[in-house]
């Protein structure tokens, strides 16, 4: 301890600030060191906080390298900042801006949209062949505008061969830009895709995939431009500009599904199924019936369907039924009303009609009760069971697509010669007429009936549970109102109100509670009513707000964006395609498009879409059709006929008597303001006599 004191005195004398060689900072360090060595509390503070005085104030700094804040490097740092913010940043922003102004919100080139407007202003029918020509003129296929689009040196040898295979394609045109090299190549690749031709693997096949992949987006832009042109021409009513009509819009929609399914003509929707070709379509016409679309094929009984498709073997038939069962089937239900009106069901001239369409999506298998894979396997015996058991290993739609790419599935290498295969294929459909086959079919039907009964029982139980929950939700409201409602229901013999009706009654009940608040205290139930009102007011406000948001269509859009519609069975489309639907209102009699087509991309099971339609200025009866059309499947069109009676608008009611006095006072005040000081000579507070 003595040595510490002597060292402290010696160093303090040496570094004392009063000395010529003294150092203030060093002196303070010596003093704090001595304090930490001699005092027990100071030692603890030193060990715990790093200072004998205890915890110090926190210090904050910027985590920058030392060379940046160094004074010697100030000029260098300033030069780097100037280059970064004055040169590099403006170049980056300018490049981004220059590229962004080239595209629309749908990532389509602005020049392509202008091209569409130019040709659509002069088109009225817009057939599919003309639509393909306009589509091929898109600048997305120009190599200078799109890096994925290329003009190869090998095109000089491969494109002439492709032209010979496609004699119907017009190449030698005189109209710009359809006679340019990129447009001719894109048009040939689109027609080769529709004809399902095989192209060179590393050249034209790659270009075809790149061209076809962006075609659905371009077709959607054509439909959007077409609807805007129709709206513009309807407003200006220019003579000589007929513009596109309803047929033109529907032809453009058919073009999208034709490209997705790689079908040359939309009159052959059966080509969407695996193993179907143009040659096999002739077997769909018999003396008994003619099958033209998928719905007619699905409506057939299982026995008739097998007879109709007898030229397909068991495995191919299984693939066809599997894909047919996965096709979408949508039911529509539309209601026309005028929102925010006293009587929404009464539509008057000049009003804005809101067409609310309820959509319910299912599949062909659910709608027409098609057999599943296991039921198909159980309905066969012998060679049929063997072939279908092989198909059951890969029952997915992707497997059917792979089989279609390979030109049909192989039945095995050990089946014998060609004559034996033909004999087996010809006789396999006759075996189902045997008695054992009939028994297995009846057993399968019995299983189906049991499953249907179980499904019905489950649905009834779910409905009962929903009804019980609805009753519980109605019991949480005010006791007085519940007693009144229950009394009315017992007298009328009606059912309890639904949850939606209970939510609609909530504002009326709160007003009644507020009006009878003072009277309830005299009855002795004031405290309980006040507690119930305070407890249920927040819940009622939330329910009212959710109902208002739902009615106005302002539900959470993020949840809708998260939903992805089912994948489309499109084996010839290069990318994964999800279902999308166009919903629009039209007049079939006049062939006019009434509303702008809405693109629905998240239809999974149910949805509700609202469409605004203006009412005519005069009373009449409207016969509109609500159409839902798929952009991926041919012949997937669902309609709902809507009859709207437009009444004459009501005359304005006369002014109430209590408003007349207000009008007189307003007129007097305005007259007083218009009078000048010279004209006013009434004896008031500031008359001449008093002055």
């Amino acid at each position: 301890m003595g040595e510490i004191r002597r060292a402290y005195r010696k160093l303090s004398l040496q570094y004392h600030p009063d000395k010529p060689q003294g150092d203030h900072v060093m002196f303070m360090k010596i003093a704090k060191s001595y304090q930490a060595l001699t005092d027990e509390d100071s030692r603890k503070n030193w060990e715990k906080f790093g200072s004998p005085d205890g915890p110090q104030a926190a210090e904050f700094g910027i985590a920058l390298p030392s060379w940046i804040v160094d004074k010697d490097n100030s000029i260098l740092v300033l030069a780097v900042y100037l280059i970064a913010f004055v040169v590099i940043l403006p170049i980056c922003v300018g490049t981004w801006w220059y590229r962004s102004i080239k595209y629309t919100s749908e990532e389509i080139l602005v020049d392509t949209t202008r091209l569409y407007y130019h040709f659509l202003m002069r088109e009225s029918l817009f057939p599919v062949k003309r639509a393909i020509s306009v589509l091929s003129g898109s600048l997305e296929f120009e190599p200078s505008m799109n890096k994925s689009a290329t003009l190869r040196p090998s095109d000089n040898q491969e494109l002439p061969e492709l032209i010979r295979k496609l004699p119907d394609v017009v190449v030698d045109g005189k109209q710009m830009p359809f006679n340019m090299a990129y447009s001719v190549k894109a048009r040939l690749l689109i027609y080769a895709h529709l004809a399902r031709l095989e192209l060179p693997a590393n050249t034209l096949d790659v270009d075809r995939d790149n061209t076809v992949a962006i075609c659905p987006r371009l077709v959607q832009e054509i439909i959007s431009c077409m609807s805007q042109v129709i709206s513009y021409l309807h407003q200006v009513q220019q003579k000589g500009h007929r513009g596109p009509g309803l047929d033109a819009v529907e032809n453009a929609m058919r073009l999208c599904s034709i490209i997705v399914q790689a079908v040359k003509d939309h009159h052959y929707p059966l080509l969407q199924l695996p193993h179907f070709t143009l040659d096999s379509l002739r077997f769909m016409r018999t003396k008994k019936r003619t099958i033209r679309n998928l719905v007619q094929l699905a409506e057939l009984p299982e026995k008739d369907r097998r007879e109709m498709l007898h030229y397909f073997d068991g495995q191919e038939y299984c693939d066809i039924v599997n894909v047919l069962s996965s096709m979408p089937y949508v039911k529509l239900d539309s209601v026309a009303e005028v929102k925010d009106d006293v009587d929404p069901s009464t539509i008057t001239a000049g009003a804005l009609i809101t067409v609310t369409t309820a959509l319910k999506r299912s599949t062909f298998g659910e709608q027409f009760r098609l057999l599943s894979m296991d039921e198909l396997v159980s309905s066969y015996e012998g060679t049929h069971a063997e072939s279908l058991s092989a198909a059951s290993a890969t029952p997915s739609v992707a497997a059917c697509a792979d089989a279609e790419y390979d030109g049909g599935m192989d039945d095995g290498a050990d089946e014998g010669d060609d004559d034996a295969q033909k004999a087996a294929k010809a006789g396999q459909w006759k075996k189902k007429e045997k008695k054992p086959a009939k028994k297995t079919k009846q057993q399968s039907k019995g299983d189906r009936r049991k499953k249907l009964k179980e499904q019905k029982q489950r649905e009834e139980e779910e409905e009962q549970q929903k009804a019980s929950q609805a009753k519980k939700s109605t019991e949480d409201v005010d006791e007085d109102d519940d007693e009144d409602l229950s009394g009315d229901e017992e007298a009328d013999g009606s059912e309890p109100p639904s949850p939606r009706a209970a939510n609609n009654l909530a504002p009326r009940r709160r007003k009644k509670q507020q009006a009878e608040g003072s009277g309830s205290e005299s009855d002795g139930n004031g405290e309980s009513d006040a507690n119930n009102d305070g407890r249920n007011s927040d819940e009622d406000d939330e329910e009212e707000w959710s109902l208002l948001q739902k009615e106005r269509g302002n539900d959470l859009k993020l949840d809708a964006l998260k939903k992805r519609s089912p994948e489309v069975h499109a084996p010839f489309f290069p990318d994964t395609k999800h279902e999308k639907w166009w919903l629009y209102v039209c007049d079939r009699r006049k062939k006019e498009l009434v509303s702008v087509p809405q693109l629905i991309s998240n239809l999974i099971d149910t949805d509700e879409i609202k469409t605004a339609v203006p009412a005519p200025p005069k009373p009449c009866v409207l016969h509109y059709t609500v159409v839902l059309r798929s952009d991926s499947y041919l012949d997937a069109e669902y309609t709902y006929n809507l009859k709207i009676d437009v009444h004459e608008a009501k005359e304005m009611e006369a002014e109430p008597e209590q408003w007349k006095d207000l009008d007189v006072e307003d007129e007097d005040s305005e007259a007083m303001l218009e009078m000048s000081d010279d004209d006013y000579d009434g004896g008031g507070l500031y008359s001449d006599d008093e002055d």
Side-chain angles (χ1 to χ4, degrees):
M1 197 69 179
E3 295 179 357
I4 295 174
R5 291 178 180 175
R6 286 193 295 271
Y8 169 68
R9 291 175 181 176
K10 182 179 178 181
L11 294 174
S12 62
L13 292 173
Q14 182 179 355
Y15 294 100
H16 197 276
D18 296 339
K19 299 289 182 179
Q21 70 278 9
D23 188 355
H24 179 268
V25 177
M26 191 66 183
F27 182 77
M28 292 298 296
K29 291 181 179 180
I30 294 170
K32 289 184 178 181
S33 300
Y34 176 74
Q35 184 180 1
L37 293 173
T38 56
D39 188 18
E40 189 67 24
D41 295 336
S42 299
R43 181 189 293 273
K44 292 180 181 180
N45 291 335
W46 179 271
E47 294 175 354
K48 187 175 182 180
F49 303 106
S51 175
D53 298 333
Q56 302 296 315
E59 295 182 359
F60 300 93
I62 301 175
L64 293 176
S66 59
W67 62 271
I68 293 180
V69 296
D70 192 0
K71 296 181 179 180
D72 298 335
N73 300 331
S74 59
I75 298 176
L76 178 61
V77 172
L78 182 61
V80 171
Y81 270 93
L82 288 175
I83 293 172
F85 289 98
V86 179
V87 180
I88 298 177
L89 184 61
I91 291 174
C92 295
V93 174
T95 304
W96 169 80
W97 176 254
Y98 178 73
R99 292 180 179 177
S100 62
I101 60 176
K102 291 183 179 180
Y103 296 91
T104 62
S105 59
E106 302 296 333
E107 298 182 358
I108 305 296
L109 288 171
V110 176
D111 294 336
T112 300
T113 305
R114 293 174 182 172
L115 180 71
Y116 294 159
Y117 281 123
H118 174 75
F119 289 104
L120 291 176
M121 290 290 290
R122 294 163 175 80
E123 297 288 342
S124 58
L125 298 178
F126 205 65
V128 175
K129 191 172 183 179
R130 179 61 175 173
I132 294 176
S133 299
V134 175
L135 182 64
S136 65
S138 304
L139 295 178
E140 274 75 7
F141 305 133
E142 171 66 33
S144 61
M145 306 296 291
N146 189 3
K147 295 181 180 180
S148 61
T150 57
L151 293 175
R152 307 174 188 273
S154 60
D155 294 343
N156 297 327
Q157 292 79 25
E158 296 174 349
L159 289 180
E161 297 179 359
L162 185 59
I163 293 173
R164 296 189 193 97
K165 297 179 181 179
L166 301 170
D168 298 336
V169 181
V170 178
V171 178
D172 299 332
K174 296 182 180 180
Q175 191 175 14
M176 291 286 291
F178 307 135
N179 57 356
M180 299 181 67
Y182 81 90
S183 180
V184 173
K185 182 179 179 179
R187 190 157 59 254
L188 288 172
L189 293 176
I190 292 173
Y191 276 105
H193 171 69
L194 299 182
R196 301 181 180 181
L197 297 179
E198 294 184 1
L199 300 179
N202 298 325
T203 55
L204 290 183
D205 192 25
V206 177
D207 296 339
R208 176 175 59 181
D209 292 344
N210 296 332
T211 301
V212 173
I214 62 176
C215 282
R217 291 195 297 110
L218 297 176
V219 174
Q220 293 173 10
E221 185 67 17
I222 290 176
I223 296 172
S224 177
C225 296
M226 198 176 294
S227 61
Q228 293 179 18
V229 169
I230 294 173
S231 178
Y232 170 74
L233 294 178
H234 180 71
Q235 291 178 2
V236 299
Q237 295 180 355
Q238 292 183 359
K239 295 182 179 180
H241 289 277
R242 185 178 179 184
L246 179 61
D247 294 337
V249 176
E250 293 182 344
N251 287 336
M253 293 179 180
R254 291 191 188 98
L255 175 60
C256 187
S257 57
I258 285 173
I259 292 176
V260 172
Q261 295 296 334
V263 179
K264 193 173 182 179
D265 194 347
H266 66 276
H267 295 292
Y268 303 131
L270 293 175
L271 294 178
Q272 301 175 105
L273 299 175
H275 313 297
F276 264 87
T277 59
L278 290 174
D279 296 334
S280 60
L281 292 178
R282 59 190 178 90
F283 296 104
M284 305 305 292
R285 294 182 179 180
T286 60
K287 295 181 179 180
K288 294 182 179 180
R289 61 180 62 87
T290 300
I291 303 300
R292 300 181 184 274
N293 52 44
L294 300 177
V295 175
Q296 293 177 354
L297 182 62
E299 288 177 346
L300 289 177
E302 183 63 25
K303 181 179 179 181
D304 297 339
R305 191 184 303 112
R306 289 177 181 177
E307 291 179 356
M308 182 67 69
L309 304 178
H310 65 277
Y311 48 87
F312 292 111
D313 61 17
Q315 190 172 357
E316 291 175 348
Y317 177 79
C318 181
D319 296 339
I320 292 171
V321 175
N322 186 25
V323 175
L324 184 63
S325 301
S326 65
M327 292 291 179
Y329 187 89
V330 184
K331 292 183 179 179
L332 286 78
D333 188 10
S334 299
V335 177
E337 57 185 359
V338 179
K339 292 290 185 180
D340 301 331
D341 200 355
V342 178
D343 188 5
S345 60
T346 303
I347 299 173
T348 58
L352 184 62
I353 306 173
T354 301
V355 180
T356 304
T357 306
L359 306 176
K360 184 178 181 182
R361 183 193 180 279
S362 60
T363 59
F364 273 46
E366 298 173 356
Q367 180 66 24
F368 302 104
R369 306 188 185 280
L370 300 179
L371 295 180
S372 63
M373 186 66 66
D374 297 335
E375 292 173 344
L376 286 171
V377 172
S378 62
S379 63
Y380 281 87
E381 285 186 356
T383 57
H384 297 279
E386 293 176 0
S387 61
L388 288 178
S389 61
S392 63
T394 56
S396 63
V397 174
C400 299
D402 296 338
E404 189 173 0
Y405 276 126
D406 297 336
M409 295 185 178
D410 297 334
D411 294 332
D414 300 332
E415 291 182 355
D417 54 2
D418 297 336
D419 296 336
Q421 291 180 5
K422 291 180 180 179
K425 189 172 182 179
Q428 63 182 356
W429 298 101
K430 297 180 181 179
K431 292 183 180 180
K432 64 183 179 182
E433 298 178 358
K434 294 182 180 180
K435 295 182 180 179
K438 290 183 179 179
K439 290 182 180 179
T440 54
K441 188 173 181 180
Q442 292 175 357
Q443 292 175 359
S444 63
K445 287 184 178 180
D447 297 337
R448 287 174 56 193
R449 291 173 182 173
K450 290 180 181 179
K451 290 181 180 179
L452 290 175
K453 289 181 180 180
E454 293 176 358
Q455 186 177 0
K456 288 182 180 179
Q457 291 178 359
R458 292 175 184 175
E459 292 177 356
E460 291 177 356
E461 292 176 358
E462 291 177 357
E463 291 179 357
Q464 291 178 359
Q465 291 178 359
K466 290 180 181 179
S468 61
Q469 291 177 0
K471 291 180 180 179
K472 290 181 180 179
S473 62
T474 55
E475 291 176 359
D476 294 336
V477 297
D478 190 29
E479 295 179 358
D480 297 335
D481 295 328
D482 289 339
E483 290 176 359
D484 296 337
L485 289 172
S486 62
D488 296 337
E489 291 168 2
E490 291 176 359
D492 299 338
S494 59
E495 296 180 357
S498 62
R500 186 180 181 88
N503 293 333
N504 293 331
L505 291 173
R508 179 173 59 82
R509 290 174 179 172
R510 285 206 311 275
K511 290 181 181 179
K512 184 178 179 181
Q513 290 176 358
Q514 292 176 1
E516 298 178 355
S518 59
S520 61
E521 294 178 358
S522 61
D523 296 335
N525 297 327
E527 295 180 358
S528 62
D529 292 340
N531 293 331
N532 291 333
D533 186 24
R535 183 175 57 238
N536 297 331
S537 60
D538 296 337
E539 298 178 358
D540 294 340
D541 292 339
E542 292 179 358
E543 291 174 356
E544 289 179 20
W545 176 252
S546 61
L547 283 174
L548 182 62
Q549 293 292 84
K550 188 175 181 180
E551 289 178 357
R552 294 185 178 181
N554 296 332
D555 294 336
L556 294 176
K557 295 183 179 180
L558 294 177
D559 296 340
L561 292 175
K562 291 179 182 179
K563 296 181 180 179
R564 296 294 299 273
S565 57
E567 293 185 4
V568 177
H569 169 68
F572 292 96
F573 195 73
D575 294 340
T576 302
K577 183 72 171 63
H578 291 268
E579 290 181 8
K580 292 183 180 180
W581 302 83
W582 278 296
L583 181 70
Y584 57 95
V585 182
C586 63
D587 191 344
R588 294 289 189 187
R589 297 181 178 181
K590 299 180 180 180
K591 294 185 178 181
E592 293 180 355
L593 184 67
V594 180
S595 67
V596 178
Q598 299 185 43
L599 189 63
I600 305 170
S601 59
N602 55 358
L603 180 59
I604 299 177
D605 44 12
T606 58
D607 200 354
E608 187 175 281
I609 308 298
K610 295 182 180 180
T611 307
V613 177
K618 296 181 179 180
C620 61
V621 178
L622 302 176
H623 296 275
Y624 286 162
T625 303
V626 182
V627 183
L628 182 72
R629 186 184 294 273
S630 175
D631 75 328
S632 305
Y633 292 107
L634 294 171
D635 201 35
E637 177 184 354
Y638 304 96
T639 60
Y640 185 88
N641 295 325
L642 196 63
K643 183 180 178 181
I644 303 175
D645 294 332
V646 181
H647 304 279
E648 188 175 358
K650 298 180 181 179
E651 296 181 358
M652 296 294 295
E653 297 180 357
E655 294 183 354
E657 296 181 356
Q658 60 269 23
W659 288 8
K660 294 181 179 180
D661 298 336
L662 297 176
D663 295 340
V664 173
E665 293 178 0
D666 293 339
E667 293 177 357
D668 294 341
S669 61
E670 291 178 358
M672 292 288 291
L673 291 173
E674 292 177 356
M675 294 175 60
S676 62
D677 296 339
D678 297 336
D679 296 334
Y680 182 70
D681 56 355
L685 295 175
Y686 299 98
S687 61
D688 296 337
D689 298 338
E690 292 182 358
D691 290 335

